[in-house]
Amino acid sequence: MTATGIGAPVRRKEDQRFVTGQGRYVDDFNRPGQTYAYFLRSPHAHATIRSIDTGPAKIMPGVVAIFTGDDLAADKIGGLICGWMIHSKDGSPMKAGPHPALAQGKVRYVGDHVAVVIAETLAQAKDAAEAIVVDYDVLPAVVDTAQATKASVQVHDVSPDNTVFNWHLGNKDETEAAFARAKHVTKIDLVNNRLVPNAIEPRAAVGEYDFGTDNYTLYTTSQNPHVARLVLSAFIGVAPEHKLRVIAPDVGGGFGSKIFIYAEETVCVWAAKKVKRPVKWTSDRSEAFLSDAHGRDHVTHAEMATDENGKIIGLRVHTTANLGAYLSTFSSSVPTYLYAPLLSGQYDIPAIYCEVDAVYTNTAPVDAYRGAGRPEATFVVERLVEKTARELGQDPAEFRRRNYITQFPHATPVIMTYDTGDYAASLDKALEIADYKNFQQRKQESARRGKLRGIGFSSYIEACGIAPSQAVGSLGAGVGLWESAEVRVNPTGSVEVLTGSHSHGQGHETTFAQLVSDRLGISIDQVSIVHGDTDKVQFGMGTYGSRSGAVGMSAIAKAIDKVIAKGKKVAAHVLEASEGDIEFKDGRFGVAGTDRSLAFGEVALQAYIAHKFSGQDLEPGLKEGAFYDPTNFTFPAGVHICEVEIDPDTGVTSIQRWTAVDDFGVIINPMIVEGQVHGGIAQGVGQALLEGAFYDQSGQLITASFNDYCMPRAIDLPSFQVGMTVTPCPSNPLGIKGCGEAGAIAAPPAVINAITDALGHEDIAMPATPQAVWRAAQKARMPMAAE
Amino acid sequence: MYAFEYHRPTSVKEAAGLIGQVEDPKFLAGGHTLLPTMKLRLAGPANLIDLGQIAELRGIERSGDTLAIGAMTKHAEVANAAEVKEAIPALAELAELIGDPHVRNRGTIGGSVANNDPSADYPAACLALNATIVTNRRKIAADDFFQGIFTTALEDGEIITQIVFPIPTQAAYAKFRNPASRYALVGVFVAKHADGVRVAVTGAGSNGVFRASEIEQALSGNFAAEALDGVTVSEAEMNSDIHADAAYRAHLVSVMAGRAVQTAVARG
Ligand SMILES: Cc1cc2nc3c(=O)[nH]c(=O)nc-3n(C[C@H](O)[C@H](O)[C@H](O)COP(=O)(O)OP(=O)(O)OC[C@H]3O[C@@H](n4cnc5c(N)ncnc54)[C@H](O)[C@@H]3O)c2cc1C
C-alpha cells in the first residue's frame, strides 16, 4: 500500500477548493449575452387552463420572450419520460400520463410549470411573470396516498382510478401456506413519510446554442450528465446527441434529486436556440420545495409469520406508493425493484409476497431519494422484526440472530442472491460498542430522573452498485447499468482518469486517485479525475445507488489492468526482455530474477517517444479504456443501535447513543466512508424525528420552507460510534460494496424502535415530533384513556 | 424583490422627517423579518428608511431600578452585555435563544418588538417585565402596546427609540423551540416584582403574546414550581398548527412556566 493507496484516510483533495469558495457550480457559469429564465408555476394543485394571456407581460421592460406549452408542442419537443417500465400483475404496462415540460391544458400540482419568461434580468422575468394572466378552472385535488384510488378526482385520463400499476413480487401461494401454519402472526401499519431532498445547492441550468457550429451546451446540476444528454436528445428531442454537450460541474449534493431530467433544463436548452442567447435558470429555495422530486411516501400494511421456534417463516406486504402528479425519470423503479427485493432483510425467510399499488396524486413527483426503496423496505422489515420479537417476549438482538442468513450465496424468494456477509459479526460488535448489557441500568437511571429510555435496533441490508445490465434490463430498466473509465497516462507519468461516475459530495477526486495510486505506485497528486462533461468522457451512467465505488472504480481498475499490460509490453522492448518475464511491482516494471527495472514514469515516457520499439509491432502511447458491467448487486449490511431518552413532559426525544457497525466490503478511504455514514444517519434521523412534507386537502404544500420543514441540525444528533466489519464483495474486482446510503437506510427504524421501546407501545408515526411523542407518552402513562 | 428607494438618516428627527415626505415608507432595522418578506415579494415598500446609522437608537443603560435598551441594539449585544447579565440575566438568556448567530448579529430589539411576531421572544419579556416602549412621540406601557398578532399600538411612522425594563427581583425565561424555525412554539417569561408576579406567554396564543393570569395567581402566593402543580391553562385561546395543536401548547405553557420558575428560584 502506498501512503495514498487503498485504505488510507487521505484528506479530500477537493476540499481545499470547496472550503475556500473556489468551487464552480452551475450558477457560477455566466455566458456572454446570457438571459434569465423564470418559470410561472401553478398556484393550484389541479386545474384546467382555459387560457394564458402573455400579451401584457411580453411588452414589459427587459422581456426577451415568453413561451408556453404550445410553443414546445409546435417545435415537436417531447414530454419528460419515465425510464423504467413496470407491468401490472395482469401483464398490462404501467399507465403513464403525459408529462409536458410546460403544461398543456392542465396543471396537476402546485409548482407545475405553466410558462417561462426569459428576460434581461431575473427581476424583470419575475415582474413579467406576475403580469401573465392565466384563466384557471380550479378542480378538486387528491393528495392522500391511501385514498388516491377512491377519490372522485382523476389526475390523468389514462388512469380513471389514479392507479399507475398494481405490481407484485414473490410467491403468493407459498406465503399464504406459511401464514396458515404459523404459530404467531405480527401485524403492522406503517407510513413512510414524504421527504423533500433539500440539497444545499438548488438545481440550476444554463442552456447555450452556437449558430456557427450548430452545437448546444447545457450546464446542469446533474448526477448523470450522459443520461441527461441521452434523454434530452433521444426522447425529448431538444438536440441531436452528438450536437449536445452536457456539463455537470461541481454539484452541491444530490441525494437522488439530481438524477432526473426535469422541465427546467429541457426548456433552457431549447429556448437558447429560440432566443439566440444563453438562457440561465437557478432554482430558489421555494421552487426547490415545490418542484424537486420528493422522496418516499408509502403507506404499508405488513405481516410476519413465525413458527413455534421463533423462526420467521413468512412475510406479506401491501404497499401503496404515491408517485405524485407525473412519473419522474426513475420513479416507477423505486417502490418496485428497488424495494420489494430487499424485503428479506438479513433474514432467512422462506416465503415472501409483496403487492405494490402505485398511485397518482396532485402532489410533486416522487422519485429516488437517498436509499430509494431500500429505506422503505428496511423500515418495514426492521419495525416488523422488532415488533415480532416483543410480541414473542424475546430479546430483539437474539431474535434477529436466530433468523439471520448464515450460508452464502443465499437466494431469497424476492429475486436477490446475497453473495456474502457475516451479520452476526456486525451484531456482536455493535452490542459491544453500544454496551447493550448495561442498558437496563441506564434505563433505571433515566427513570429516576423522570425520563423514558429506549433502545432500538436496525439490522439492515441494501443492494448497491445497481447492476448488472442484463438483469436490470429484464426487470424493465430503459438503460444498462455498467460504468466506463479511461485511464490516460501522460509522457511525464502523471495520470488522468476519465470516469462516467459523477461526484457531488462523494469525494471521487480523492478515492479514485487512491485506487490509481495504489495500483500504479504513484502519488495521488500525480492523478486527476475528470468527470461531468460529455465532451470529455465518452459515456457513463452516473452516480446514485452507491454505485461509484463498486461499479465506477471497478471500471477504472479494469482500465488500469490494461495500462499495466501495455506497460509490460513497452518495458519488455526497452529492457530487451520477453514480455512474459516482466513483472509490475511497487510502481516499477522489472525483469523477473534481475535487478533491471524501469519506474512507471520511465515506461510512460518510452511509450510516447517510441524510440525503442517499432510502431508496427507495438502501438505508441499509453491510454486504455474499459466498460465494466458487474455480475451482481452488492449487499452492504450492518447493525445500527440507537438509544434515546424521552422527556415525557414535553415529548422531546434526545438521542443519547448511536452505534453503527457496517460491512461495506473493502474500504478505500475510511475517513470518507465515516463521513458518508454520518451524513446518512443524519438524514435518517431527519426522516424519523423531524422531516415530513405535508400537503393540505387542496394540495397546497404546507411545509414549503425551512420555517416549517425541519432539517436535522448538529444539536439533534449525538456523537456517532462507528465500527466496521469486512467481508470483501466477491462480485467486483475491488471487493467494494458501497456506503453512500447505508445510514439513511438503517437509521429510521432504529430511531422508531428505540422510541417505541421507551414508550412501551408501537403507536408512533414518523416524524416522531415532540408533539407526537408527548401524545404517545400520555397514552403510555394512561392506557385506560387510550381510544 | 421589487425596486425601492433607500434612505439612510443619521438622526431620529431626520428619519421622522422622511415620513410624510416619501411615499409608502418602511423602517429597516436588522432586516431579518422585513428583507425575507421583500425577497418573497410579499412586501414591496417604495421607500426604505434604514435606521442603522442612528447612533442615538443604540446602547444599553442602567439607571437605578431600570434598564434602558436602545431600539437598534442587536440581540447579540443584549445577550453579551454585562449590564444586562447583571441586572436582568433572564433577558440576556432570552436574547441568546433567538435564532442563530446571524440573526442575533443583525436582528434588533426594536424591530422584534415593533413586528410583534406571535412567536417572537422579546414581547414576552416586555410584558412580564412591565416594560415601557418609548417612541419618538410618547411612552407606551407593554400592557397597552401588544395588541394581537403583528399588531401594536404604534401609529404610522412612529419610531421606537428605547425599551425601558424595570429590574425584577427574580425572573427567568423558558423557551420550547419550534423544531423547524427555532422561534418559540411556547415561551414563558416569569418575573417576580416587588408589587407582584407577572407571567407572559409567547408562541402559544392565537392572539399573540399574553399574560397567563392562572399562573400569575398561583405564583403570587408562592413563587415556586410546586405552586403550579395541577395548574392548567385553557386551550381555548391557543394557536394550532402542524407543529403543535392547542392542547399540546396549553400543556407546554404549564411545563415551561414551571421550568422558568425553577430557574428563577435557583438563581435566587
Ligand atoms: C432565521 C431566523 C430565525 C429567527 N428566530 C427568531 C427567534 O427564535 N426568536 C425571535 O424572537 N425572533 C427570531 N427571528 C426574528 C429576528 O429576531 C428579527 O430580528 C426580528 O423579527 C425583527 O427585527 P429586525 O431588527 O430584523 O427588524 P426588521 O426586519 O428590519 O423590521 C421588522 C419590522 O419592524 C419595523 N421596525 C423596525 N425597527 C423599528 C423601530 N425602531 N420603530 C418602529 N418600527 C420598526 C420595520 O419597519 C418592520 O416592519 C428570526 C429571524 C430569522 C430570519
Side-chain angles (χ1 to χ4, degrees):
Chain A
M1 182 181 112
T2 59
T4 55
I6 290 175
V10 178
R11 294 262 179 100
R12 301 202 331 163
K13 289 177 77 178
E14 46 272 78
D15 282 349
Q16 173 75 21
R17 167 166 108 247
F18 292 147
V19 302
T20 57
Q22 313 289 306
R24 279 201 92 192
Y25 299 87
V26 172
D27 192 59
D28 294 321
F29 287 83
N30 292 301
R31 308 301 300 158
Q34 174 176 292
T35 61
Y36 294 82
Y38 182 74
F39 288 84
L40 177 67
R41 294 174 187 276
S42 172
H44 307 295
H46 197 194
T48 305
I49 299 175
R50 286 210 204 90
S51 65
I52 304 176
D53 182 3
T54 58
K58 270 189 172 141
I59 55 172
M60 291 194 46
V63 173
V64 175
I66 299 179
F67 299 115
T68 67
D70 288 346
D71 299 299
L72 282 167
D75 276 10
K76 302 208 163 33
I77 301 300
L80 307 181
I81 63 154
C82 178
W84 198 305
M85 172 52 76
I86 297 295
H87 287 88
S88 283
K89 286 177 225 176
D90 64 7
S92 62
M94 65 185 185
K95 300 191 174 73
H99 191 180
L102 296 175
Q104 278 164 7
K106 218 176 172 199
V107 284
R108 295 184 173 84
Y109 68 102
V110 172
D112 205 352
H113 315 71
V114 176
V116 63
V117 181
I118 295 162
E120 299 292 342
T121 70
L122 180 59
Q124 287 171 329
K126 285 186 182 181
D127 288 344
E130 285 179 7
I132 296 175
V133 183
V134 186
D135 185 8
Y136 292 105
D137 183 10
V138 179
L139 303 168
V142 53
V143 297
D144 192 67
T145 309
Q147 301 303 319
T149 58
K150 293 167 212 122
S152 54
V153 178
Q154 189 179 339
V155 182
H156 285 282
D157 294 344
V158 291
S159 176
D161 69 347
N162 298 320
T163 294
V164 185
F165 52 75
N166 303 114
W167 176 88
H168 66 162
L169 188 71
N171 188 317
K172 188 173 183 183
D173 296 340
E174 282 175 28
T175 307
E176 294 308 320
F179 275 84
R181 68 166 194 278
K183 176 83 191 310
H184 183 83
V185 174
T186 303
K187 303 179 179 180
I188 202 161
D189 286 291
L190 298 168
V191 172
N192 207 288
N193 42 327
R194 179 186 275 248
L195 303 175
V196 181
N198 282 320
I200 197 162
E201 178 209 20
R203 290 189 294 119
V206 183
E208 194 173 4
Y209 178 70
D210 182 329
F211 279 85
T213 59
D214 188 33
N215 284 336
Y216 299 77
T217 304
L218 170 65
Y219 299 84
T220 181
T221 46
S222 174
Q223 301 178 214
N224 36 221
H226 290 88
V227 177
R229 183 176 67 155
L230 180 65
V231 171
L232 286 166
S233 58
F235 296 93
I236 303 176
V238 290
E241 192 173 14
H242 64 297
K243 289 289 179 188
L244 175 58
R245 176 182 184 186
V246 177
I247 299 172
D250 287 333
V251 171
F255 311 112
S257 69
K258 293 171 182 168
I259 297 172
F260 323 124
I261 290 80
Y262 290 88
E264 291 87 356
E265 56 261 31
T266 303
V267 169
C268 284
V269 188
W270 167 78
K273 185 175 181 183
K274 297 289 278 187
V275 304
K276 303 187 171 66
R277 290 168 64 181
V279 176
K280 179 184 225 172
W281 170 77
T282 303
S283 172
D284 63 29
R285 191 55 69 182
S286 307
E287 288 181 281
F289 270 99
L290 294 177
S291 71
D292 289 0
H294 292 176
R296 320 279 193 252
D297 205 339
H298 284 194
V299 175
T300 295
H301 175 80
E303 303 183 358
M304 183 166 274
T306 37
D307 68 10
E308 55 286 350
N309 302 316
K311 283 279 298 166
I312 305 169
I313 56 171
L315 172 66
R316 60 185 170 206
V317 177
H318 182 278
T319 292
T320 305
N322 187 348
L323 297 185
Y326 299 98
L327 299 185
S328 171
T329 317
F330 288 111
S331 57
S332 55
S333 67
V334 178
T336 51
Y337 289 108
L338 297 181
Y339 170 66
L342 276 301
L343 286 171
S344 197
Q346 298 184 352
Y347 311 103
D348 184 3
I349 308 179
I352 300 176
Y353 181 63
C354 173
E355 292 172 290
V356 178
D357 299 334
V359 297
Y360 286 117
T361 58
N362 295 113
T363 62
V366 177
D367 207 324
Y369 170 68
R370 201 171 192 172
R374 292 152 290 164
E376 295 91 318
T378 302
F379 193 62
V380 171
V381 174
E382 288 305 296
R383 288 286 293 116
L384 201 43
V385 163
E386 189 83 26
K387 191 170 181 220
T388 302
R390 286 171 189 167
E391 288 182 1
L392 297 178
Q394 297 189 8
D395 178 85
E398 293 317 307
F399 178 73
R400 284 177 168 83
R401 189 193 302 278
R402 175 171 320 121
N403 283 287
Y404 278 159
I405 294 161
T406 52
Q407 304 291 317
F408 296 91
H410 171 91
T412 72
V414 276
I415 303 180
M416 293 301 188
T417 299
Y418 298 168
D419 48 10
T420 185
D422 186 348
Y423 307 142
S426 293
L427 179 65
D428 288 338
K429 193 163 183 180
L431 291 173
E432 173 79 34
I433 297 175
D435 188 25
Y436 184 55
K437 60 180 191 299
N438 291 314
F439 170 72
Q440 285 306 328
Q441 229 168 295
R442 296 193 292 276
K443 190 175 171 81
Q444 283 159 19
E445 195 276 324
S446 295
R448 278 195 290 278
R449 289 182 288 109
K451 301 279 165 52
L452 307 170
R453 188 175 276 257
I455 195 161
F457 290 80
S458 177
S459 204
Y460 75 95
I461 192 163
E462 55 161 331
C464 289
I466 159 167
S469 301
Q470 244 185 359
V472 297
S474 72
L475 304 178
V479 288
L481 286 168
W482 42 267
E483 197 45 87
S484 80
E486 192 178 307
V487 174
R488 294 183 187 167
V489 182
N490 297 319
T492 56
S494 64
V495 171
E496 283 152 54
V497 176
L498 287 74
T499 168
S501 301
H502 183 277
S503 188
H504 33 277
Q506 292 83 350
H508 294 172
E509 288 171 45
T510 307
T511 50
F512 288 13
Q514 285 183 257
L515 169 62
V516 177
S517 168
D518 196 87
R519 290 291 162 101
L520 297 182
I522 60 177
S523 149
I524 53 168
D525 299 331
Q526 293 279 89
V527 185
S528 40
I529 306 299
V530 178
H531 69 99
D533 185 341
T534 60
D535 263 15
K536 293 181 180 164
V537 179
Q538 186 244 331
F539 208 95
M541 295 313 301
T543 290
Y544 38 83
S546 306
R547 68 193 303 278
S548 300
V551 191
M553 288 179 82
S554 292
I556 298 171
K558 205 172 154 188
I560 291 173
D561 288 345
K562 293 186 189 176
V563 164
I564 293 171
K566 171 85 183 279
K568 283 182 179 171
K569 287 191 169 57
V570 175
H573 279 87
V574 178
L575 296 170
E576 292 170 348
S578 90
E579 192 191 327
D581 290 338
I582 303 290
E583 292 172 339
F584 182 65
K585 231 174 62 200
D586 301 328
R588 298 189 74 85
F589 291 90
V591 184
T594 75
D595 60 358
R596 286 188 299 138
S597 71
L598 292 170
F600 178 74
E602 293 173 290
V603 169
L605 183 63
Q606 290 294 338
Y608 283 96
I609 59 176
H611 293 167
K612 295 286 168 64
F613 54 91
S614 120
Q616 307 310 307
D617 53 87
L618 182 63
E619 283 180 25
L622 196 52
K623 178 191 90 165
E624 298 291 343
F627 284 73
Y628 174 75
D629 202 343
T631 55
N632 193 355
F633 286 91
T634 68
F635 298 97
V639 174
H640 286 218
I641 303 177
C642 167
E643 199 168 313
V644 300
E645 193 178 76
I646 292 171
D647 178 349
D649 289 335
T650 58
V652 169
T653 300
S654 87
I655 298 175
Q656 300 284 315
R657 288 165 172 250
W658 195 288
T659 304
V661 176
D662 301 287
D663 177 358
F664 297 136
V666 172
I667 284 172
I668 306 295
N669 182 324
M671 183 201 70
I672 288 181
V673 167
E674 264 197 51
Q676 289 284 328
V677 171
H678 288 192
I681 297 171
Q683 256 167 314
V685 168
Q687 167 160 33
L689 293 180
L690 311 164
E691 300 182 48
F694 297 104
Y695 287 88
D696 70 13
Q697 285 310 307
S698 74
Q700 295 295 332
L701 183 62
I702 308 171
T703 48
S705 79
F706 291 132
N707 246 343
D708 288 308
Y709 188 92
C710 185
M711 295 293 282
R713 293 166 165 91
I715 199 174
D716 300 313
L717 303 163
S719 219
F720 305 116
Q721 304 294 313
V722 178
M724 300 283 168
T725 58
V726 177
T727 59
C729 177
S731 314
N732 63 65
L734 298 170
I736 294 177
K737 295 186 181 179
C739 65
E741 297 155 296
I745 292 168
V751 175
I752 301 299
N753 286 340
I755 293 177
T756 50
D757 180 50
L759 294 172
H761 69 76
E762 302 282 336
D763 195 10
I764 185 95
M766 297 194 293
T769 60
Q771 163 166 262
V773 173
W774 172 71
R775 200 143 271 141
Q778 297 292 104
K779 199 161 142 182
R781 274 178 176 173
M782 303 176 283
M784 306 314 287
E787 65 270 28
Chain B
M1 210 179 264
Y2 297 104
F4 56 84
E5 290 292 324
Y6 177 73
H7 308 269
R8 200 160 61 177
T10 53
S11 70
V12 172
K13 197 162 168 245
E14 192 189 336
L18 285 163
I19 300 296
Q21 272 178 39
V22 299
E23 202 187 323
D24 185 23
K26 195 98 184 146
F27 296 120
L28 174 69
H32 264 49
T33 293
L34 186 53
L35 295 182
T37 356
M38 288 171 63
K39 281 186 176 172
L40 289 170
R41 297 189 158 210
L42 298 171
N47 285 278
L48 264 196
I49 304 172
D50 187 349
L51 305 177
Q53 300 299 308
I54 306 178
E56 62 195 283
L57 289 179
R58 301 182 69 157
I60 300 169
E61 204 179 323
R62 179 172 179 167
S63 55
D65 293 344
T66 61
L67 188 70
I69 301 181
M72 286 300 290
T73 310
K74 292 172 177 139
H75 308 331
E77 291 166 345
V78 174
N80 296 318
E83 303 92 311
V84 182
K85 284 186 183 169
E86 205 207 303
I88 319 179
L91 192 60
E93 287 163 12
L94 173 147
E96 184 64 34
L97 288 171
I98 296 175
D100 53 47
H102 292 124
V103 175
R104 292 194 289 276
N105 282 288
R106 289 297 308 170
T108 66
I109 189 168
S112 177
V113 169
N115 195 50
N116 192 18
D117 185 303
S119 336
D121 297 299
Y122 272 126
C126 292
L127 211 49
L129 293 170
N130 198 15
T132 301
I133 296 34
V134 183
T135 77
N136 59 334
R137 298 179 193 164
R138 58 193 166 135
K139 293 181 176 171
I140 311 168
D143 280 323
D144 302 323
F145 184 84
F146 300 103
Q147 301 185 341
I149 296 181
F150 298 109
T151 312
T152 68
L154 285 177
E155 297 160 357
D156 277 352
E158 189 170 7
I159 302 170
I160 298 178
T161 55
Q162 246 188 0
I163 322 268
V164 180
F165 296 96
I167 296 168
T169 9
Q170 284 178 316
Y173 180 61
K175 175 175 181 177
F176 190 92
R177 290 181 163 114
N178 175 314
S181 73
R182 283 344 198 217
Y183 274 82
L185 195 70
V186 169
V188 182
F189 202 110
V190 300
K192 189 175 173 203
H193 302 270
D195 57 351
V197 173
R198 290 171 67 103
V199 176
V201 178
T202 187
S206 55
N207 200 29
V209 67
F210 67 95
R211 283 176 63 184
S213 48
E214 307 92 323
I215 296 176
E216 288 185 352
Q217 271 157 27
L219 292 175
S220 53
N222 177 17
F223 193 73
E226 305 85 75
L228 295 178
D229 284 349
V231 176
T232 56
V233 297
S234 158
E235 55 183 87
E237 307 276 286
M238 295 291 151
N239 190 13
S240 201
D241 57 28
I242 55 163
H243 302 288
D245 62 18
Y248 179 52
R249 276 193 161 88
H251 167 78
L252 282 180
V253 170
S254 306
V255 174
M256 290 297 123
R259 291 185 182 179
V261 173
Q262 249 168 17
T263 309
V265 170
R267 183 158 30 224

